[in-house]
Coordinates of all heavy atoms in Angstrom, one line a residue:
L855 N 9.6 -10.8 -4.0 CA 9.1 -10.0 -2.9 C 9.4 -10.5 -1.6 O 9.3 -9.8 -0.6 CB 7.6 -9.8 -3.1 CG 7.1 -8.6 -3.8 CD1 5.6 -8.6 -3.9 CD2 7.6 -7.3 -3.2
D856 N 9.8 -11.8 -1.5 CA 9.9 -12.5 -0.2 C 10.7 -11.8 0.8 O 10.3 -11.9 2.0 CB 10.6 -13.9 -0.5 CG 9.8 -14.8 -1.3 OD1 9.1 -14.3 -2.2 OD2 10.0 -16.0 -1.2
Y857 N 11.7 -11.0 0.5 CA 12.6 -10.4 1.5 C 12.3 -8.9 1.7 O 13.0 -8.2 2.3 CB 14.0 -10.6 1.0 CG 14.4 -12.0 0.8 CD1 14.6 -12.4 -0.6 CD2 14.4 -13.0 1.8 CE1 14.9 -13.8 -0.8 CE2 14.7 -14.3 1.5 CZ 14.9 -14.7 0.2 OH 15.2 -16.0 -0.1
Y858 N 11.1 -8.5 1.2 CA 10.8 -7.1 1.2 C 9.5 -6.8 2.0 O 8.5 -7.6 1.8 CB 10.7 -6.5 -0.2 CG 12.0 -6.5 -0.9 CD1 12.4 -7.6 -1.6 CD2 12.8 -5.3 -1.0 CE1 13.6 -7.6 -2.3 CE2 14.0 -5.3 -1.7 CZ 14.4 -6.4 -2.3 OH 15.6 -6.4 -3.0
A859 N 9.5 -5.8 2.8 CA 8.2 -5.3 3.3 C 7.5 -4.6 2.2 O 8.1 -4.0 1.2 CB 8.4 -4.4 4.5
I860 N 6.2 -4.5 2.2 CA 5.4 -3.8 1.2 C 4.6 -2.7 1.9 O 3.9 -3.0 2.9 CB 4.4 -4.8 0.5 CG1 5.1 -6.0 -0.1 CG2 3.6 -4.0 -0.5 CD1 4.2 -7.0 -0.6
C876 N 1.3 -1.1 5.9 CA 2.6 -1.8 5.6 C 2.5 -3.2 6.2 O 1.9 -3.5 7.2 CB 3.7 -1.1 6.2 SG 5.3 -1.9 6.0
I877 N 3.2 -4.2 5.5 CA 3.3 -5.5 5.9 C 4.7 -6.0 5.9 O 5.4 -5.7 4.9 CB 2.3 -6.5 5.1 CG1 2.3 -7.9 5.7 CG2 2.7 -6.5 3.6 CD1 1.2 -8.7 5.1
S878 N 5.2 -6.7 6.9 CA 6.5 -7.1 6.9 C 6.8 -8.2 5.9 O 5.8 -8.8 5.3 CB 6.9 -7.6 8.3 OG 6.1 -8.7 8.7
S879 N 8.0 -8.5 5.6 CA 8.4 -9.5 4.6 C 7.8 -10.9 4.8 O 7.4 -11.5 3.9 CB 9.9 -9.6 4.5 OG 10.5 -10.0 5.7
D880 N 7.7 -11.3 6.1 CA 7.1 -12.6 6.4 C 5.6 -12.5 6.7 O 5.0 -13.5 7.0 CB 7.8 -13.2 7.6 CG 7.7 -12.4 8.9 OD1 7.0 -11.4 8.8 OD2 8.2 -12.9 9.9
G881 N 5.0 -11.3 6.6 CA 3.6 -11.2 6.8 C 3.2 -11.2 8.3 O 2.1 -11.0 8.6
G882 N 4.2 -11.3 9.2 CA 3.9 -11.4 10.6 C 3.5 -10.1 11.3 O 3.0 -10.1 12.4
N883 N 3.9 -9.0 10.7 CA 3.6 -7.7 11.3 C 2.9 -6.8 10.3 O 3.3 -6.7 9.1 CB 4.9 -7.0 11.7 CG 5.5 -7.7 12.9 OD1 5.0 -7.7 14.0 ND2 6.7 -8.3 12.7
T884 N 1.9 -6.1 10.7 CA 1.1 -5.2 9.8 C 1.0 -3.9 10.6 O 0.9 -3.9 11.8 CB -0.2 -5.8 9.4 OG1 -1.0 -6.1 10.6 CG2 -0.1 -7.0 8.6
Y885 N 0.9 -2.8 9.8 CA 0.8 -1.5 10.4 C -0.3 -0.8 9.5 O -0.4 -0.9 8.3 CB 2.1 -0.8 10.3 CG 3.3 -1.5 10.9 CD1 4.0 -2.4 10.1 CD2 3.7 -1.3 12.2 CE1 5.0 -3.2 10.6 CE2 4.7 -2.0 12.7 CZ 5.4 -2.9 11.9 OH 6.4 -3.6 12.5
I896 N -4.2 -5.3 4.8 CA -3.1 -5.5 4.0 C -2.7 -7.0 4.0 O -2.9 -7.7 5.1 CB -1.9 -4.6 4.4 CG1 -0.8 -4.7 3.3 CG2 -1.3 -5.0 5.7 CD1 0.3 -3.6 3.5
S897 N -2.3 -7.5 2.9 CA -1.9 -8.9 2.9 C -0.9 -9.1 1.7 O -0.6 -8.2 1.0 CB -3.1 -9.9 2.7 OG -3.7 -9.6 1.4
R898 N -0.3 -10.3 1.7 CA 0.6 -10.6 0.6 C 0.6 -12.1 0.3 O 0.2 -12.9 1.1 CB 2.0 -10.2 1.0 CG 2.6 -11.0 2.3 CD 3.9 -10.4 2.7 NE 4.9 -10.4 1.7 CZ 5.9 -9.5 1.6 NH1 6.0 -8.6 2.5 NH2 6.8 -9.7 0.7
D899 N 0.9 -12.4 -0.9 CA 1.0 -13.8 -1.4 C 2.4 -13.9 -2.1 O 2.5 -13.5 -3.3 CB -0.1 -14.1 -2.4 CG -0.1 -15.6 -2.8 OD1 0.9 -16.3 -2.6 OD2 -1.2 -16.1 -3.2
N900 N 3.4 -14.4 -1.3 CA 4.7 -14.4 -1.9 C 4.8 -15.4 -3.1 O 5.6 -15.2 -3.9 CB 5.7 -14.8 -0.8 CG 6.0 -13.6 0.1 OD1 5.6 -12.5 -0.1 ND2 6.6 -13.9 1.3
S925 N 10.4 -2.2 0.8 CA 11.4 -1.8 1.8 C 12.2 -3.0 2.3 O 11.6 -4.0 2.5 CB 10.7 -1.1 2.9 OG 11.7 -0.8 3.9
L930 N 10.7 -1.1 10.5 CA 9.3 -0.7 10.3 C 8.6 -0.3 11.6 O 7.8 0.7 11.6 CB 8.5 -1.9 9.7 CG 9.0 -2.5 8.4 CD1 8.2 -3.7 8.0 CD2 8.9 -1.4 7.3

Side-chain angles (χ1 to χ4, degrees):
L855 268 179
D856 295 29
Y857 307 109
Y858 294 82
I860 302 170
C876 176
I877 186 168
S878 59
S879 58
D880 64 358
N883 293 292
T884 57
Y885 307 86
I896 192 170
S897 63
R898 63 190 299 153
D899 185 339
N900 285 349
S925 174
L930 300 177

